[in-house]
Amino acid sequence: MTSGTGPSPTFPFLSIGMDSCVIPLRHGGLSLVQTTDFFYPLVEDPYMMGRIACANVLSDLYAMGITECDNMLMLLSVSQSMNEEEREKVTPLMVKGFRDAAEEGGTAVTGGQTVVNPWIIIGGVATVVCQPNEFIMPDNAVVGDVLVLTKPLGTQVAANAHQWLDNPERWNKIKMVVSREEVELAYQEAMFNMATLNRTAAGLMHTFNAHAATDITGFGILGHSQNLAKQQRNEVSFVIHNLPIIAKMAAISKASGRFGLLQGTSAETSGGLLICLPREQAARFCSEIKSSKYGEGHQAWIVGIVEKGNRTARIIDKPRVIEVLPRGATAAALAPDNSNASSEPSS
């Protein structure tokens, strides 16, 4: 995204390329922050698909440190290949999931558009009018900052592996490295993570003086890190050393020859925030976000550093893989090659 200044230094301006647009309004020193996103279903449960779609839209605001959303619109395409009974069952569930997630985020869906299409599509628009102190521009990383990630990677691998349970040709390529039970657990974990809002992390960005952030979605952790690095005002580069990955998904990625999970190119859906934090604040952020006062399910890991450079990002040749156990899995179930399992931040 092109980052620059608007009418004066007190009016930050952000246009195409990053997570949200930030447009100074004509009145009152306020800015309009807006984002839109949509995609095709990747889980079987239509209600959860609605929640994931809403979380994914809101995440672009949360990546700016914004915790409030004034309004949401829903974009919904119903497949023409579905019969009337299927439409009447599936559509209300997707809508309910989207609305429930919006309500959890303290906002509401007030309109949108529904069409019939060859494919199911769900997404929306999130809009907020806010003061400059309510958002954090994604361009202030400094040498010595630490990179923190707030959700594990591997959602696309988990969703695909779950589909492969019914595809013998694909399943045969990975069955030596993962069990059916492990795939089911990983799929449930991925679905839970994708439906979890990044709102808590957005609020803590202010508490711990974050310098920049983005959310990890379709371009994978490497693509989004590179995009964020390009926006920085200082001459810095990002280096990623650790990859928190849903347990067994790295092995599936290797065995299948797909995804590029360890290379950082595997797409994620409604992934976590990648946040540049001052070194002295990073471990405290990771500890605080796991506090029970924010509810269950929030995690964070230190994954890299900010060093002097030319606004690029890279993953080291042999990153440390942190195998993140699915909730519902016991340590014993995944013990043999899970010595790295940890939800603790590591540097």
Side-chain angles (χ1 to χ4, degrees):
M1 169 177 272
T2 305
S3 178
T5 57
S8 77
T10 57
F11 291 99
F13 177 83
L14 212 52
S15 59
I16 298 168
M18 276 305 288
D19 299 304
S20 301
C21 65
V22 179
I23 309 297
L25 296 178
R26 291 166 292 171
H27 311 292
L30 300 172
S31 292
L32 173 74
V33 184
Q34 195 167 52
T35 183
T36 184
D37 212 335
F38 68 87
F39 49 75
Y40 308 104
L42 72 165
V43 299
E44 294 171 356
D45 184 327
Y47 175 79
M48 289 300 292
M49 193 61 238
R51 287 196 73 105
I52 291 166
C54 184
N56 194 61
V57 174
L58 285 170
S59 189
D60 287 338
L61 295 185
Y62 298 147
M64 302 284 298
I66 294 169
T67 58
E68 305 301 323
C69 175
D70 290 331
N71 185 55
M72 292 197 79
L73 304 176
M74 188 188 311
L75 306 172
L76 182 61
S77 157
V78 182
S79 174
Q80 61 196 25
S81 64
M82 297 168 71
N83 61 42
E84 192 170 340
E85 182 183 7
E86 289 170 333
R87 288 182 195 174
E88 288 180 356
K89 284 184 178 178
V90 170
T91 306
L93 286 169
M94 285 199 295
V95 170
K96 179 170 171 49
F98 196 100
R99 287 186 180 277
D100 284 357
E103 186 176 329
E104 183 185 326
T107 187
V109 180
T110 62
Q113 177 78 337
T114 304
V115 297
V116 177
N117 199 51
W119 314 279
I120 295 175
I121 297 173
I122 186 165
V125 180
T127 304
V128 61
V129 174
C130 53
Q131 296 175 325
N133 65 342
E134 293 181 80
F135 58 86
I136 296 170
M137 293 295 284
D139 59 2
N140 289 305
V142 299
V143 173
D145 277 355
V146 169
L147 301 174
V148 167
L149 182 67
T150 65
K151 289 183 185 179
L153 306 170
T155 54
Q156 185 190 51
V157 181
N160 277 268
H162 188 256
Q163 293 174 6
W164 294 352
L165 290 175
D166 299 319
N167 183 329
E169 183 183 347
R170 293 277 170 83
W171 175 247
N172 287 339
K173 289 187 177 182
I174 64 171
K175 66 181 182 181
M176 298 302 291
V177 300
V178 68
S179 70
R180 286 180 171 269
E181 181 190 11
E182 288 165 342
V183 169
E184 288 285 357
L185 286 168
Y187 172 74
Q188 294 297 326
E189 178 71 8
M191 191 159 56
F192 178 87
N193 283 327
M194 290 186 289
T196 298
L197 301 183
N198 284 322
R199 192 182 189 192
T200 297
L204 293 177
M205 283 171 61
H206 294 269
T207 307
F208 294 100
N209 193 29
H211 291 153
T214 188
D215 63 332
I216 307 303
T217 51
F219 297 121
I221 189 170
L222 180 60
H224 287 285
S225 297
Q226 290 171 335
N227 200 27
L228 184 62
K230 289 175 187 174
Q231 306 308 314
Q232 300 313 303
R233 294 189 293 183
N234 297 315
E235 292 183 350
V236 296
S237 287
F238 300 160
V239 183
I240 295 170
H241 301 94
N242 303 321
L243 296 175
I245 296 174
I246 298 170
K248 298 292 183 175
M249 297 305 101
I252 292 176
S253 180
K254 282 183 186 175
S256 67
R258 295 166 173 258
F259 307 113
L261 190 52
L262 296 179
Q263 292 73 41
T265 56
S266 182
E268 304 291 334
T269 297
S270 191
L273 300 187
L274 182 73
I275 308 171
C276 300
L277 287 161
R279 178 176 293 277
E280 65 275 13
Q281 302 277 34
R284 289 172 56 212
F285 177 101
C286 293
S287 176
E288 178 67 15
I289 200 170
K290 288 183 281 187
S291 168
S292 59
K293 65 187 173 188
Y294 302 117
E296 291 188 6
H298 296 293
Q299 305 173 85
W301 300 264
I302 292 173
V303 297
I305 59 170
V306 178
E307 62 180 25
K308 187 170 177 58
N310 56 350
R311 300 180 181 88
T312 58
R314 66 183 176 90
I315 298 175
I316 63 171
D317 288 341
K318 294 183 179 178
R320 177 187 173 216
V321 173
I322 302 170
E323 297 262 336
V324 180
L325 282 172
R327 282 151 279 216
T330 62
L334 296 166
D337 19 4
N338 197 43
S339 56
N340 280 340
S342 171
S343 61
E344 294 297 314
S346 62
S347 54

